[in-house]
């Protein structure tokens, strides 16, 4: 029965998708039927996989290898055959530092400033985002009225584009913006947020938490709702205090989801670019310039487009992401075990 | 005063008690919950509402500090003997009376004013003795001008084309791949699955330069295809659709094969309609990804004719003479489709994310 109703809904939506789509599928039918007669049914899965795999190959796998070759070449040309092979020179240039703790002592100080800024950013962004997502998920998991509505409230900014998010907050934080109007009305002085490196970093962290928190809240909420209610009932019967229930039942059972959220947030955090780029432009100076912006600036906006250096930095970013993804896989496996 | 303060407290407590009937006591977490939720509404919706309100203000009203909440415009009145409508002020005269007067002209710090009811009578009022008389008025020009005079209609069109075409391509090739991986048992299937999941680990941010090379050598720079094609084969989509298609009973497919349906016919006449719920989720995701995409379009679109809304908005806000009244209005235009999607499909999206763990 359920299948039947699914089928009806499917048909309705298919007819909504319209005639052009149906026409395309119908036109493709004779050649593919002929192909099937020629190749036999055994090889048909490859025909279905072909377009998608071709896209993967062309826009992911081939580029991944080219990226590596790029990072070993110099010059300013885009096409590989015009680029001289320089070995590990680009990496040497990126890694040339007196002390790694201080970006100022590096030859390519912008790269290290990017790494340094990204590290600061993810430390604060990930920890506060996980904290607030957890609090929000715990609150939404209570027996509150209009839970669906409140869940939607916190989720709403997730859908907004990074450019829109940045412009919304830029408008609030301007010198004559509403936040400064509020500060003046309670007797404080105006703050020029985007002139101060500390405030710029603060708002970069704040705005990206504002924009993405709903997504992580949702994952944690799903985890909370999967905790069997009889555990709580048993605890209540034993007269266990709420605090103890939280530390002994909720948090341990939620921990696998927490791990997933932490690693996902780290993976996204390392790649931070869009909203901060529009909000602060990386400034003041290089105070909020992150690693992706370094790659973008080096490869695509400077007068001399240094593709080799941008690729070398991309490889470094790729290695960091690979490690984080492995951590994610480990975390997900733990989750499945539990 | 105390009465006014007591009523909301009592209502709040009533609300909480009604909800937590079990022990009748209000735990501190109950109060915290509702304070947190109230603050959440303020923090999540407030900025968007403020943006929308501001987008209806004139450029001069936007410069005002402190700003007003509602978009206000000065009332202008038609006065006999003057061709143009004159701005209306509330002026305090020398004898202390307050009158609504229209300003004829301003000379230095003195404003020449006239009584609209009695045009013969003229007044000279120091400008600090008068305040504007304003009414609620929306500056629709903020919306009309960028769409008519600037390229925003073009950007809007480009964004719609990119979103629609890319989503259709994604749905087609992803559903085909998912069908291949869900319906058939064949050698190498496990390897292909690993490969698909592996591509999840390679976001565009780490292959910007070589994808730029691929797109350039295909001659697609500054065309919308450069934005549409590279992200069309999404691993997320293959994975999501495949997991859903696995739940389709094999008997249905066997029955169709008995009826001599070709594999292609089974794909689009049997499996696709059954997988519609998952396809709808992927379609919503894809629309969101494409509409909001920024970094990649920023790299491959360098001419303003091909800008998408996001790139266009960014270019507009980066100009030296920032015209905030236009930017705010166009930001509102940009967030309208997403807000509509949100309003109607919110449940769909949240369950989709909660079940797949992806966005």
């Amino acid at each position: 029965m359920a299948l039947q109703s699914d089928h009806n809904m499917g048909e309705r939506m298919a007819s909504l998708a319209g005639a052009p789509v149906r026409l395309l599928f119908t036109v493709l039918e004779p050649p593919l039927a002929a192909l099937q007669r020629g190749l036999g049914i055994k090889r048909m899965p490859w025909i279905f996989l072909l377009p998608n795999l071709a896209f993967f190959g062309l826009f992911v796998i081939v580029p991944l290898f080219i990226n590596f070759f790029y990072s070993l070449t110099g010059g300013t040309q885009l096409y590989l055959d015009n680029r001289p092979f320089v070995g590990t020179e680009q990496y040497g240039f990126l890694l040339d530092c007196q002390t790694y703790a201080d970006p100022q002592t590096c030859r390519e100080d912008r790269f290290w400033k990017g790494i340094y800024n990204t590290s600061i950013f993810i430390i604060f962004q990930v920890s506060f985002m996980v904290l607030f997502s957890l609090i929000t998920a715990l609150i939404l998991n209570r027996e509150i009225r209009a839970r669906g509505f409140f869940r939607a409230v916190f989720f709403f900014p997730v859908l907004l584009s990074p450019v829109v998010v940045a412009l919304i907050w830029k408008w609030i934080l301007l010198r004559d913006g509403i936040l400064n109007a509020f500060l003046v009305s309670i007797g404080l002085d105006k703050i020029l947020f985007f002139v101060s490196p500390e405030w710029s970093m603060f708002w970069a962290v704040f705005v990206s938490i504002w924009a993405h928190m709903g997504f992580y809240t949702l994952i944690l909420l799903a985890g909370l709702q999967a905790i069997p209610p009889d555990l709580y009932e048993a605890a209540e019967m034993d007269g266990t205090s709420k605090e103890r229930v939280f530390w002994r039942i909720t948090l341990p059972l939620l921990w696998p989801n927490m791990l997933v959220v932490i690693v996902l947030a780290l993976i996204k955090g390392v790649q931070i670019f869009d909203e901060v780029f529009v909000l602060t432009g990386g400034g003041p100076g290089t105070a909020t310039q992150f690693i992706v912006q370094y790659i973008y600036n080096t490869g695509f906006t400077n007068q001399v487009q240094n593709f080799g250096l941008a690729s070398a930095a991309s490889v470094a970013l790729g290695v960091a992401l690979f490690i984080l993804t492995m951590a994610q896989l480990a975390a997900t496996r733990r989750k499945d075990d539990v | 005063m105390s009465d006014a303060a007591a009523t909301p407290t009592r209502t709040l407590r009533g609300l909480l008690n009604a909800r937590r009937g079990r022990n009748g006591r209000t735990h501190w977490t109950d109060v915290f919950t509702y304070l947190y939720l109230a603050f959440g509404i303020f923090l999540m919706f407030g900025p968007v509402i403020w943006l929308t309100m501001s987008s209806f203000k004139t450029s001069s009203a936007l410069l005002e500090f402190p700003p007003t909440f509602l978009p206000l415009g000065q009332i202008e009145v038609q006065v006999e003997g003057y061709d143009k409508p004159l701005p209306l002020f509330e002026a305090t005269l020398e004898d202390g009376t307050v009158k609504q007067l229209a300003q004829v002209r301003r000379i230095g710090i003195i404003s020449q004013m006239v009584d609209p009811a009695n045009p013969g009578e003229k007044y000279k009022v120091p400008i600090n003795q008068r305040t504007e008389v304003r009414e609620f008025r929306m500056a629709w020009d903020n919306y009309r001008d960028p769409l008519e005079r600037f390229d925003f209609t073009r950007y809007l069109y480009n964004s719609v084309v990119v979103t629609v075409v890319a989503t259709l391509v994604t749905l087609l090739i992803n559903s085909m791949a998912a069908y291949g991986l869900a319906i058939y048992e064949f050698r190498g299937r496990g390897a292909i699955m690993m490969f698909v999941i592996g591509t999840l680990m390679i976001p565009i941010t780490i292959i910007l330069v070589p994808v730029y090379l691929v797109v350039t050598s295909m001659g697609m720079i500054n065309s919308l295809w450069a934005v549409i094609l590279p992200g069309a084969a999404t691993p997320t989509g293959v994975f999501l659709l495949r997991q859903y298609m696995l739940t389709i009973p094999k008997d249905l497919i066997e029955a169709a094969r008995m009826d001599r349906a070709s594999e292609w016919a089974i794909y689009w006449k049997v499996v696709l309609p059954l997988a519609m719920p998952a396809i709808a989720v992927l379609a919503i995701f894809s629309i969101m990804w494409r509409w909001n995409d920024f970094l990649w379009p920023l790299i491959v679109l360098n001419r303003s004719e091909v800008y998408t809304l996001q790139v266009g908005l960014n270019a507009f806000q980066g100009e030296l003479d920032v015209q905030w009244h236009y930017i705010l209005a166009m930001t509102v235009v940009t967030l309208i489709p997403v807000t509509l999607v949100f309003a109607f499909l919110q449940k769909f999206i949240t369950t989709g994310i909660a079940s797949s763990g992806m966005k």
Side-chain angles (χ1 to χ4, degrees):
Chain A
M1 268 321 274
L3 191 74
Q4 195 60 42
S5 73
D6 258 9
H7 192 86
N8 287 342
M9 185 183 126
E11 266 179 355
R12 257 204 317 267
M13 292 189 75
S15 66
L16 264 178
V21 178
R22 241 194 321 277
L23 181 71
L24 174 73
F25 283 130
T26 318
V27 167
L28 282 171
E29 197 163 332
L32 276 147
L35 211 58
Q36 185 186 336
R37 276 192 299 278
L39 293 171
I41 203 166
K42 281 249 150 47
R43 296 205 182 86
M44 280 311 280
W46 295 103
I47 300 297
F48 281 102
L49 282 166
L50 188 68
N52 205 80
L53 293 187
F55 271 77
F56 275 154
L58 192 58
F59 295 113
V60 181
I61 304 304
V62 171
L64 194 63
F65 285 103
I66 300 180
N67 199 27
F68 191 64
F69 282 116
Y70 253 117
S71 70
L72 303 175
T73 61
T76 56
Q77 297 297 313
L78 178 62
Y79 289 101
L80 272 174
D81 38 354
N82 298 328
R83 297 179 62 85
F85 183 80
V86 295
T88 57
E89 199 177 275
Q90 306 279 17
Y91 292 100
F93 181 64
L94 281 182
L95 299 177
D96 187 7
C97 283
Q98 275 157 13
T99 57
Y100 287 109
D102 182 6
Q104 301 293 329
T105 65
C106 299
R107 247 173 90 197
E108 185 61 351
D109 57 338
R110 289 181 310 131
F111 175 69
W112 288 96
K113 190 78 192 186
I115 292 186
Y116 177 79
N117 285 341
T118 310
S119 312
I120 303 251
F121 176 85
I122 55 177
I123 288 170
F124 286 104
Q125 197 246 14
V126 173
S127 48
F128 281 103
M129 184 149 68
V130 171
L131 178 68
F132 285 114
S133 303
L134 178 64
I135 295 175
T136 313
L138 285 170
I139 281 178
L140 291 177
N141 196 38
R142 293 168 67 97
E143 301 160 42
I144 52 170
R145 296 183 177 195
R147 182 193 288 158
F149 167 74
F150 282 112
R151 196 179 57 179
V153 167
F154 285 95
F155 185 72
F156 174 59
V158 175
L159 300 179
L160 301 179
S161 88
V163 179
V164 167
V165 166
L167 289 175
I168 286 174
W169 283 98
K170 199 168 182 175
W171 177 240
I172 289 172
L173 299 172
L174 282 176
R175 192 171 67 99
D176 291 333
I178 189 154
L179 187 59
N180 270 325
F182 172 73
L183 290 181
V184 168
S185 78
I186 59 169
L188 297 173
D189 286 334
K190 283 185 186 180
I191 301 174
L192 304 180
F193 293 111
F194 297 121
V195 175
S196 143
E198 291 79 20
W199 276 114
S200 296
M201 182 60 96
F202 171 83
W203 287 112
V205 169
F206 179 92
V207 169
S208 74
I209 292 179
W210 183 82
H212 302 295
M213 197 182 92
F215 172 68
Y216 299 99
T217 302
L218 219 57
I219 297 181
L220 290 180
L221 188 59
L224 283 174
Q225 287 173 346
I227 297 176
D230 34 324
L231 285 178
Y232 290 115
E233 281 160 24
E236 196 172 359
M237 265 193 266
D238 293 345
T240 320
S241 75
K242 283 190 164 203
E243 288 73 16
R244 208 174 148 80
V245 167
F246 173 75
W247 291 108
R248 291 299 167 89
I249 299 179
T250 311
L251 206 55
L253 286 175
L254 191 62
W255 189 242
N257 295 69
M258 289 282 284
L259 267 181
V260 169
V261 162
I262 291 169
V263 182
L264 272 181
L266 279 173
I267 291 176
K268 292 270 176 205
V270 170
Q271 300 179 69
I272 181 72
F273 172 77
D274 301 358
E275 55 260 44
V276 184
F277 177 73
V278 181
L279 185 71
T280 70
T286 53
T288 51
Q289 214 169 82
F290 300 114
I291 191 72
V292 172
Q293 195 186 344
Y294 170 78
I295 296 171
Y296 170 71
N297 285 346
T298 310
F300 299 100
T301 61
N302 285 1
Q303 305 252 290
V304 180
Q305 300 195 316
N306 198 335
F307 295 120
L309 202 56
S311 295
S314 304
V315 172
L317 177 62
V319 170
L321 283 175
F322 181 76
I323 294 169
L324 287 173
T325 314
M326 286 299 131
Q328 185 201 5
L329 286 181
T332 334
R333 190 159 310 147
R334 277 267 317 265
K335 180 187 165 192
D336 292 340
D337 290 346
V338 168
Chain B
M1 192 61 212
S2 65
D3 234 323
T7 320
T9 323
R10 207 180 300 142
T11 343
L12 185 66
R13 188 165 302 152
L15 195 76
L16 294 170
N17 283 341
R19 191 185 55 72
R20 297 189 63 81
R22 283 179 301 191
N23 50 21
R25 272 183 315 126
T26 309
H27 195 262
W28 67 268
T29 53
D30 296 329
V31 180
F32 179 73
T33 295
Y34 282 93
L35 287 179
Y36 190 91
L37 291 176
F39 186 67
I41 294 183
F42 172 74
L43 195 63
M44 297 293 154
F45 285 160
V48 179
I49 292 169
W50 176 240
L51 174 91
T52 314
M53 280 297 172
S54 305
S55 77
F56 288 108
K57 293 180 181 173
T58 58
S59 51
S60 58
L62 285 177
L63 290 175
E64 228 170 83
F65 187 87
T68 57
F69 178 67
L70 291 172
L72 299 174
Q74 190 171 16
I75 298 179
E76 295 192 320
V77 284
Q78 195 72 50
V79 182
E80 217 176 297
Y82 300 92
D83 299 338
K84 286 186 182 168
L86 302 174
L88 193 66
F89 288 89
E90 200 162 70
T92 313
L93 300 178
E94 273 167 24
D95 57 359
T97 52
V98 178
K99 249 187 165 166
Q100 288 204 346
L101 300 177
Q103 175 175 282
V104 181
R105 67 175 71 83
R106 191 186 135 184
I107 306 162
I109 56 160
I110 300 293
S111 163
Q112 278 191 9
M113 306 189 101
V114 63
D115 191 342
N118 185 6
E121 206 166 335
K122 296 221 167 68
Y123 300 86
K124 282 195 168 127
V125 185
I127 55 166
N128 57 3
Q129 294 294 308
R130 61 173 179 53
T131 50
E132 293 178 1
V133 179
R134 302 197 292 184
E135 61 178 356
F136 176 76
R137 192 190 300 150
M138 311 236 262
W140 286 106
D141 286 350
N142 294 351
Y143 287 81
R144 208 174 302 128
D145 289 353
L147 291 172
E148 280 174 5
R149 283 201 276 131
F150 306 103
D151 276 340
F152 268 96
T153 326
R154 182 92 223 169
Y155 305 160
L156 193 64
Y157 169 82
N158 289 341
S159 270
V160 169
V161 168
V162 166
T163 304
V164 170
V165 176
T167 298
L168 290 179
V169 174
T170 297
L171 290 181
L172 176 68
I173 64 178
N174 275 359
S175 66
M176 282 174 68
Y179 176 81
L181 287 168
I183 304 303
Y184 301 98
E185 306 266 356
F186 61 98
R187 246 153 63 102
R189 185 171 79 157
I192 297 285
M193 256 334 268
M194 284 303 293
F195 174 73
V196 170
I197 293 172
T199 52
L200 258 179
M201 298 201 293
I202 311 168
I204 186 99
T205 45
I206 65 169
I207 46 174
L208 290 173
V209 174
V211 178
Y212 182 77
L213 168 74
V214 170
V215 166
T216 308
S217 51
M218 292 170 83
M220 296 192 302
I221 288 298
N222 283 323
S223 92
L224 294 180
W225 290 111
V227 181
I228 292 169
L229 293 182
T234 68
T236 315
V238 177
F239 193 70
L240 195 128
L241 294 181
R242 190 237 178 192
Q243 295 309 96
Y244 195 87
M245 285 179 185
L246 283 177
T247 64
I248 294 173
K250 285 273 186 304
D251 304 351
L252 275 178
I253 290 146
E254 286 308 321
R257 283 196 184 129
M258 296 292 226
D259 291 344
R260 295 174 172 272
S262 76
E263 296 301 299
W264 180 258
I266 297 173
Y267 155 71
W268 80 271
K269 285 184 179 153
V270 179
V271 174
L272 269 197
L274 287 175
M276 261 314 151
I279 288 185
V281 170
L282 178 60
I284 296 166
F285 278 4
S286 172
I287 289 170
M288 274 160 36
W289 293 330
R290 294 322 190 114
W291 186 261
N292 293 341
D293 201 6
F294 178 61
L295 174 59
W296 184 245
L298 183 69
I299 287 175
V300 290
L301 306 176
N302 305 313
R303 286 213 311 264
S304 111
E305 312 93 85
V306 286
Y307 279 177
T308 58
L309 262 183
Q310 313 291 343
V311 179
L313 260 183
N314 178 57
F316 216 66
Q317 70 103 22
E319 281 171 14
L320 279 180
D321 177 26
V322 180
Q323 295 178 300
W324 272 103
H325 53 302
Y326 292 148
I327 293 178
L328 295 172
M330 289 307 102
T331 310
V332 171
V333 169
T334 312
L335 66 79
I336 286 172
V338 173
T339 309
L340 289 180
V341 166
F342 170 77
F344 293 110
L345 302 172
Q346 181 266 126
K347 251 204 160 116
F348 229 149
I349 301 170
T350 45
T351 45
I353 286 179
S355 60
S356 70
M358 292 180 253
K359 76 167 169 172

